[in-house]
Amino acid sequence: MGDDIKFHQQLLVIDENLGTEEVEALKFLCSDLLSFKKLEAVESAQDIFQLLMAKDLLNKEDTFILAELLYRIRCHFLLQKLGYTKETVQENLSWKGKVSRYRQMLYELSEDITSEDLKRAMFLLRDQLPKKLTNMSSLELLTCLEKQDHLAENNLEILEKICMDISPDLLKTVNKYKMERVSLAQQESSLPVKETASFSHHIPEGRFHSGGDVRLLTSSQETPIKSLGSNIYDSGSLWEHAGSVHFIAARQDDKAVNVMQGISELSQEQPATMSNLQSKTEKLMTYKMDGPHRGYCLIINNFSFTGTLQKRRGSNKDAEMLAQVFTWLGLDVKTYTDKTSVEIKNLMQEWQSSKDHRDRDCFVCCILSHGELGLVYGTDEREVPIRTIMSYFTARQCPQLAEKPKLFFIQACQGKEIQQAVYIEADAQNPDLFPIQQLISPSESIPEEADFLLGMATVGGYASFRHIQHGTWYIQALCNKLQLLVPRGEDILSILTEVNEDVSKRADNLGKKKQMPQPAYTLRKKLIFPVPRSPPPSQQQ
């Protein structure tokens, strides 16, 4: 009886932490396991749990199906309620997973479909969709196509045509799935009869063809750092080589994969020991963020300049949003407006010598200004090198922050500012003039020691853009992704990868001006902000 109560309490806690969008995602991922008719009546996560228990897919002895679903929708912070971690779920997906690769592909696709893509898709499908459905989510659209037999595991023709018409990039996800199916079929056909029989003994019937993720460590979320770095280098960026500075991928280090694989091998014979070792390993790989105080966040917002540089309209929106988000994350925020180059250096020196860092977990500094290659401007239009700003907080200069993560977010770009259409301006002096010989690498900005992260709004030589009412693309994307992904237990590097994705999809009114942020770091561990108890600022308004 006690176990039953504990099990249902776990489900209740998980239900209370899932919003409407997460419930819709769970419904969609369960579409191959539960009937459409039963799913239509679902109003909460509890309803889904009841349906899964009725089919004996979920019970107090085996909660993996729920762990898999939470993993798929990236609610990693809830996995601990079931005794799982992100890594242990990944290790077991290949043989215990029940969400088909087809369903995973559709869900992946839905996450990449923007609101504009969705409008265009609905317009193209207007003859196939019920006339009463004028407004729906991407998941609802895919479900509707399935119900009308326009979409199935072996019927992707309409989906491919729509993807090609609205955004060819979406087609990559579908093609990747098709190639995996072919590869899997070839593997099956090459298996000896005895091996096949032995294999099926360990895998539930029907799971080999459409079951769990057989690409355990090859999904986009687990790309090794080096491969992403080489891709950037191939594209011509001179920011790739940074010594100990690495580029963002969703996994922080290949060593993490090796450690977890070793733990996986132990898990078959020593489940209790594995759990303890897993916990200790995770602590070693993660920065300590449970001190009495989270840390300070400095925001320098340069809006008005004394010379020829124009006012940075929309920057106040960025400063307000940063203050709200980092306050929500538990930091003590200090905002400074319109500081000259000397005042910026004096501020850095003042905070460098502060004794208050001693009992704090981290340090964050955000600078919003005009800038050029490797530097920002004070309001007196004099240069302040980014490297100089960061060097105040090295372990030698600021011992109180030694071995603690130090994050710097710079909203500034290179060249003279240019006017755009009413809503878009550039935080630059002249983005059309960026001689190749002047491009610098992050190693010339970031100190050559551990525990630093530098988030730049744009790659070297290019402009970053600012909406005069809503703020800059980069800072708004950063704030939005922090609010969305910190509650899901994502680390800062994974969050910045999502920021890159968000900003890269934006464009000006003519669709010609684009932007690509570029993070660089010397972090030694994962940095995961504790989940705040209060809802994010965007849900409080």
Side-chain angles (χ1 to χ4, degrees):
M1 178 66 72
D3 288 344
D4 287 337
I5 293 175
K6 182 180 178 182
F7 173 57
H8 284 93
Q9 285 176 336
Q10 289 173 327
L11 298 184
L12 184 60
V13 170
I14 292 171
D15 172 71
E16 290 173 346
N17 279 276
L18 295 175
T20 304
E21 289 185 7
E22 284 87 4
V23 173
E24 287 301 313
L26 292 179
K27 285 171 60 176
F28 185 81
L29 291 172
C30 288
S31 297
D32 297 329
L33 308 172
L34 305 169
S35 69
F36 282 132
K37 186 175 181 181
K38 289 183 178 178
L39 286 172
E40 282 178 351
V42 165
E43 294 182 354
S44 68
Q46 281 280 28
D47 294 338
I48 297 176
F49 303 158
Q50 292 292 341
L51 293 173
L52 291 172
M53 286 190 286
K55 293 198 68 172
D56 203 28
L57 292 169
L58 174 65
N59 54 64
K60 63 184 179 183
E61 286 81 23
D62 185 4
T63 59
F64 188 79
I65 177 61
L66 180 52
E68 179 187 5
L69 293 171
L70 294 174
Y71 169 82
R72 298 289 182 202
I73 65 174
R74 298 180 187 168
C75 285
H76 302 142
F77 72 103
L78 291 174
L79 292 174
Q80 60 184 346
K81 307 295 182 185
L82 301 171
Y84 286 96
T85 66
K86 180 180 175 181
E87 286 76 17
T88 54
V89 174
Q90 289 170 344
E91 291 161 11
N92 288 282
L93 278 176
S94 60
W95 64 283
K96 291 184 72 174
K98 289 184 169 59
V99 179
S100 70
R101 186 65 194 101
Y102 162 72
R103 189 63 48 189
Q104 294 173 44
M105 178 272 292
L106 292 183
Y107 182 69
E108 242 177 89
L109 198 64
S110 73
E111 289 191 302
D112 291 333
I113 295 175
T114 66
S115 56
E116 288 302 314
D117 292 339
L118 184 59
K119 289 177 184 176
R120 293 173 64 188
M122 291 183 65
F123 177 77
L124 293 170
L125 291 166
R126 61 191 182 280
D127 294 333
Q128 280 82 18
L129 298 175
K131 289 185 170 48
K132 62 180 181 179
L133 295 177
T134 56
N135 188 24
M136 61 174 68
S137 67
S138 54
L139 289 178
E140 289 171 331
L141 175 61
L142 294 171
T143 300
C144 186
L145 291 175
E146 286 188 298
K147 288 180 178 179
Q148 297 189 354
D149 292 329
H150 294 312
L151 176 61
E153 193 167 356
N154 297 311
N155 180 17
L156 302 173
E157 188 177 340
I158 290 181
L159 180 64
E160 289 176 297
K161 187 177 186 307
I162 292 299
C163 287
M164 179 58 74
D165 288 341
I166 64 174
S167 177
D169 281 346
L170 296 174
L171 202 56
K172 294 177 184 177
T173 303
V174 182
N175 288 337
K176 182 180 175 184
Y177 161 71
K178 291 171 69 175
M179 290 175 66
E180 286 171 358
R181 284 185 59 195
V182 171
S183 175
L184 191 58
Q186 290 174 345
Q187 291 175 30
E188 283 189 86
S189 64
S190 64
L191 283 172
V193 174
K194 289 184 180 179
E195 258 185 69
T196 306
S198 173
F199 192 54
S200 63
H201 176 73
H202 296 286
I203 297 182
E205 183 179 354
R207 298 278 14 107
F208 183 67
H209 291 278
S210 58
D213 193 342
V214 297
R215 307 167 301 104
L216 186 56
L217 293 173
T218 59
S219 73
S220 60
Q221 293 185 0
E222 298 149 42
T223 306
I225 291 169
K226 289 182 180 178
S227 68
L228 183 58
S230 62
N231 288 341
I232 294 174
Y233 180 73
D234 291 342
S235 69
S237 169
L238 302 182
W239 282 60
E240 197 252 355
H241 292 294
S244 60
V245 180
H246 305 288
F247 278 85
I248 298 295
R251 298 271 317 217
Q252 188 172 348
D253 200 311
D254 287 341
K255 293 178 183 177
V257 179
N258 295 333
V259 170
M260 300 321 300
Q261 285 176 333
I263 292 173
S264 176
E265 292 169 4
L266 290 173
S267 67
Q268 301 300 321
E269 300 177 1
Q270 304 173 358
T273 305
M274 186 279 292
S275 178
N276 294 334
L277 183 57
Q278 178 94 32
S279 176
K280 290 178 182 177
T281 303
E282 285 181 344
K283 286 183 179 179
L284 289 173
M285 293 165 54
T286 306
Y287 282 105
K288 180 178 178 294
M289 294 290 282
D290 58 358
H293 303 286
R294 188 76 64 241
Y296 284 108
C297 171
L298 311 186
I299 300 173
I300 298 176
N301 176 27
N302 281 353
F303 176 79
S304 298
F305 296 79
T306 58
T308 59
L309 293 177
Q310 297 188 13
K311 291 183 178 180
R312 299 183 61 256
R313 293 182 294 167
S315 186
N316 291 339
K317 180 72 173 179
D318 284 346
E320 291 170 8
M321 184 64 76
L322 285 168
Q324 290 175 9
V325 170
F326 281 107
T327 298
W328 171 68
L329 290 175
L331 286 91
D332 296 315
V333 175
K334 307 292 182 183
T335 301
Y336 302 92
T337 303
D338 291 343
K339 295 299 175 182
T340 65
S341 57
V342 172
E343 288 173 331
I344 290 174
K345 292 176 183 177
N346 288 343
L347 269 175
M348 296 302 107
Q349 195 164 17
E350 176 186 334
W351 282 99
Q352 168 202 321
S353 57
S354 172
K355 302 298 183 185
D356 289 346
H357 295 306
R358 191 182 304 277
D359 61 350
R360 297 178 187 268
D361 298 326
C362 65
F363 176 74
V364 177
C365 179
C366 308
I367 299 181
L368 318 173
S369 188
H370 288 299
E372 289 196 23
L373 293 166
L375 56 88
V376 295
Y377 283 119
T379 53
D380 55 354
E381 302 190 6
R382 292 184 179 274
E383 303 171 352
V384 184
I386 295 170
R387 183 180 180 84
T388 298
I389 292 170
M390 299 178 74
S391 65
Y392 283 97
F393 301 97
T394 61
R396 178 176 294 181
Q397 298 297 327
C398 186
Q400 291 83 6
L401 286 173
E403 299 187 356
K404 298 178 182 180
K406 296 163 278 281
L407 316 183
F408 291 79
F409 298 103
I410 310 295
Q411 171 53 53
C413 59
Q414 298 74 36
K416 291 183 178 179
E417 181 177 22
I418 56 172
Q419 285 284 351
Q420 293 293 333
V422 174
Y423 296 105
I424 300 293
E425 294 179 349
D427 267 352
Q429 288 194 333
N430 191 348
D432 294 326
L433 302 175
F434 40 91
I436 293 298
Q437 65 270 22
Q438 290 185 359
L439 295 183
I440 60 174
S441 72
S443 62
E444 295 177 32
S445 292
I446 194 168
E448 293 177 354
E449 66 166 68
D451 308 312
F452 278 91
L453 181 144
L454 172 61
M456 296 291 292
T458 183
V459 295
Y462 289 85
S464 61
F465 295 98
R466 172 171 32 86
H467 191 292
I468 64 175
Q469 294 173 342
H470 301 151
T472 58
W473 295 354
Y474 175 65
I475 296 298
Q476 292 303 307
L478 174 65
C479 292
N480 290 338
K481 293 303 180 181
L482 284 169
Q483 293 179 84
L484 177 66
L485 299 176
V486 165
R488 298 182 182 180
E490 295 286 356
D491 67 282
I492 190 65
L493 304 184
S494 299
I495 292 172
L496 290 180
T497 302
E498 294 281 344
V499 172
N500 279 11
E501 174 72 7
D502 184 310
V503 176
S504 69
K505 288 182 176 180
R506 303 191 185 206
D508 68 339
N509 293 337
L510 299 177
K512 294 181 179 180
K513 290 183 171 61
K514 303 284 285 183
Q515 181 179 330
M516 188 67 206
Q518 186 165 13
Y521 66 94
T522 58
L523 298 179
R524 296 172 295 111
K525 305 176 183 181
K526 286 187 177 181
L527 172 56
I528 301 175
F529 283 101
V531 179
R533 294 182 179 179
S534 60
S538 61
Q539 296 180 17
Q540 297 178 23
Q541 298 172 354

